[in-house]
Amino acid sequence: TSSTSRENSFAGTFDGNGKLISNLYINISSEDNSNELLIGLFGVNYGKIKGLGLVNCSNSGTLSTTGNNTVLVAGVTGMNYGEINSSFVSGTLCSNGKNNAKSRSGGIAGSANNATIKNCYSMGNIKGIGNFVTCVGGIVGTTQEGLKIENCYNVASLTVDTTNGTQSIGGIVGHAIGIIINNTYNIEELNLQGSATDTYAGGIVGYNHGGNINNCHNRGEINENTITTGAFYIGQIASNNVNGVIKNSYYLVSEKYDGVGINGGTNESIEIQNESQMPNILDVIGNSFKDASLRYPVLNWQ
């Protein structure tokens, strides 16, 4: 489903019971100067969604506006005010904001406020295109307040492409205010494109304001080669850390980027020199992870 109104929202309990929904396809274009365009299996969620698997979905939304509204695209829900648990999305997701339209893309939710997302993951390709403000995240595109994400990971390739204005991209969340993130990781690449005036990119969170990031790790590459103009701020964990706290979060040392691009809070992220040190990090990031004999620890529930 999709929605252009928050009145048509889901507020019950949806139990996918471990079943799969394959080949979900939503492609909507709208010229609307007042309503948001919300794309997902659920346009807006106030309830509880669990045990849901979306395989090979293809969701996209294009909004053209002269107003102050937004196009939000995800697999599960465009906007989340409830709880999403034990769910995953694979496929291609894309939001496209034209003229003044803001654009939000996320694997699980386009945006989420006063909500909880846990034991979820995304894979495939997630992209945000915009002319004004664009946010892309592996799990959630953006949050304003009160979002908690835990025990989640991203293996979807992420791309942000903005002509003007600001863009934010993160392996877990693109733009975050007052967020709590525990026990997450990203291993896929972040691709920065366009000619935005300002770009914020982080392996876990793109723009972090007042958020707490704990026990996370990033192995994804950050590629800024196709940015043509503007300033960009890049960190292996977060692009910036404004009045936030980052603890026990690690990344492979890069010659180009530190753990946090601009630090205005508490940063205790961990640099490691080579992949052989990865298993030893288990003692630091806690018992939510296990060594799967890979290049990085994975979550116990996987």
Side-chain angles (χ1 to χ4, degrees), residues 22-40:
S22 298
N23 304 318
L24 174 68
Y25 176 82
I26 304 172
N27 183 2
I28 297 176
S29 295
S30 175
E31 293 186 8
D32 190 322
N33 294 330
S34 56
N35 294 304
E36 292 172 347
L37 180 59
L38 301 149
I39 304 292

Side-chain angles (χ1 to χ4, degrees), residues 52-107:
L52 172 63
L54 297 175
V55 179
N56 194 36
C57 71
S58 180
N59 293 353
S60 60
T62 300
L63 175 65
S64 179
T65 181
T66 58
N68 190 34
N69 42 327
T70 306
V71 51
L72 303 101
V73 176
V76 178
T77 180
M79 172 66 77
N80 182 41
Y81 294 99
E83 178 180 325
I84 302 174
N85 191 354
S86 303
S87 299
F88 76 89
V89 173
S90 72
T92 301
L93 308 168
C94 182
S95 63
N96 188 352
K98 294 186 175 182
N99 296 318
N100 288 348
K102 292 172 285 187
S103 176
R104 313 285 192 245
S105 294

Side-chain angles (χ1 to χ4, degrees), residues 117 139-140 143 147-153 170-185 203-208 210-217 237-238 245-249:
I117 298 175
I139 301 298
V140 176
T143 179
L147 174 62
K148 184 175 184 179
I149 296 177
E150 57 185 9
N151 302 329
C152 294
Y153 68 94
I172 302 299
V173 180
H175 187 282
I177 297 176
I179 198 170
I180 297 174
I181 299 181
N182 296 320
N183 311 324
T184 68
Y185 70 88
I204 300 298
V205 174
Y207 183 95
N208 179 47
N212 293 328
I213 302 171
N214 305 296
N215 302 337
C216 300
H217 63 279
I237 301 297
V245 178
I246 300 175
K247 291 184 177 180
N248 297 343
S249 297

